[in-house]
Amino acid sequence: MTDAPSELVRYAVADAVATITLDSPANRNALSRRLVSGLLAHLERAGADDEVRVVLIESSAKVFCSGADLTEASTEGMEVGARRIVDLQRLIATLDKPVVTKNLGAVRAGGIGIVAAADVAISADDATFALTEVKLGLAAAIISLTVHHRMTPRAAALATLGGEVFSGAEAAAYGLVTRAVPADALDDEVAAVCASLATGTAQGLRESKRILNRDLVARIDELGEEMAATSARLFASEEARQAMTAFLAR
């Protein structure tokens, strides 16, 4: 089963794997209200489908996700959007089925939160990642809930404070992704991982994931509201507004 191509997020199921495809190339899969709503809805749909054992999140083009939708944020603020992204990370972490991410190309800022929330993340080794918030007068606040759970403290400090680009191979060394492989091997690697995960029983997968993610979910529940408020405050600041305006004018 598939959705109409007009959707920003597409959904299909085959061989016990629900594939959720981010398909908003016009804004490089930025986390707009519509895209986040579609992703949340399809994750819930996969969670309720007894035929699904594994959920795969990928993109229709090389850019996996460019982070927050700065156009929306600069005109409407992030009060609601920040909380929705916290909810998105929590849903990925608490879904009763393993969630896998696959990225061929670029992942930025908020998109890294999706990768970090997933149970398994497979990346092309030459894909690029960057926590660019610091360069816009912001902080990686809401995604710190998952990113800091995955990355080593030293790597998190370097990536967060520097805001520089790092590769998929480096992301694997940092603990952010599970495995980085050559781009031409990515499809086969992800297919093999999903097929292996799909051999688990529903109960086995559910209970194993709950044990694995207990500390992560507790972290989200403890700090989510604070980080959402911090994010909204920073997006509303004059320094961030000027930086975002300059970025969007490029």
Side-chain angles (χ1 to χ4, degrees):
M1 56 185 159
T2 60
D3 284 330
S6 61
E7 296 292 326
L8 296 185
V9 184
R10 295 188 280 110
Y11 183 93
V13 176
D15 300 323
V17 178
T19 300
I20 300 174
T21 304
L22 308 183
D23 191 20
S24 183
N27 66 356
R28 295 161 56 90
N29 290 326
L31 296 171
S32 64
R33 292 190 310 277
R34 281 187 62 203
L35 188 139
V36 172
S37 294
L39 183 48
L40 284 165
H42 286 320
L43 284 165
E44 291 172 347
R45 178 178 177 181
D49 188 343
D50 291 339
E51 298 302 312
V52 171
R53 284 284 186 273
V54 181
V55 180
L56 171 65
I57 303 175
E58 61 178 14
S59 66
S60 61
K62 286 196 69 173
V63 176
F64 179 81
C65 178
S66 60
D69 187 321
L70 296 184
T71 301
E72 284 188 359
S74 62
T75 58
E76 302 172 23
M78 280 289 287
E79 191 72 32
V80 175
R83 287 172 174 79
R84 293 284 278 174
I85 295 172
V86 172
D87 291 343
L88 173 60
Q89 292 175 101
R90 190 182 194 282
L91 179 57
I92 292 171
T94 58
L95 202 73
D96 284 342
K97 299 159 186 184
V99 177
V100 178
T101 57
K102 167 188 171 183
N103 71 284
L104 179 63
V107 192
R108 296 290 186 269
I112 295 178
I114 297 173
V115 172
D119 302 289
V120 179
I122 311 296
S123 173
D125 55 14
D126 61 353
T128 63
F129 295 77
L131 292 163
T132 53
E133 290 90 343
V134 69
K135 297 182 182 297
L136 294 173
L138 305 169
I142 49 180
I143 64 169
S144 72
L145 300 168
T146 54
V147 171
H148 292 179
H149 181 78
R150 301 295 187 196
M151 294 178 77
T152 66
R154 287 298 189 188
L158 177 64
T160 302
L161 295 173
E164 303 296 344
V165 173
F166 55 97
S167 69
E170 289 171 312
Y174 293 167
L176 177 62
V177 303
T178 309
R179 193 172 298 160
V181 300
D184 60 4
L186 183 61
D187 288 347
D188 288 345
E189 181 69 24
V190 171
V193 167
C194 288
S196 175
L197 292 171
T199 63
T201 68
Q203 177 172 282
L205 292 169
R206 179 185 70 243
E207 297 302 322
S208 296
K209 179 166 176 173
R210 287 178 181 175
I211 293 169
L212 284 166
N213 286 355
R214 179 179 59 188
D215 292 345
L216 173 58
V217 175
R219 175 182 173 84
I220 294 171
D221 289 344
E222 178 185 0
L223 299 175
E225 181 60 31
E226 177 188 346
M227 291 300 101
T230 297
S231 182
R233 174 176 58 81
L234 292 174
F235 268 96
S237 70
E238 185 60 28
E239 181 177 322
R241 285 186 178 277
Q242 290 179 6
M244 287 189 289
T245 299
F247 179 85
L248 291 170
R250 290 179 187 175

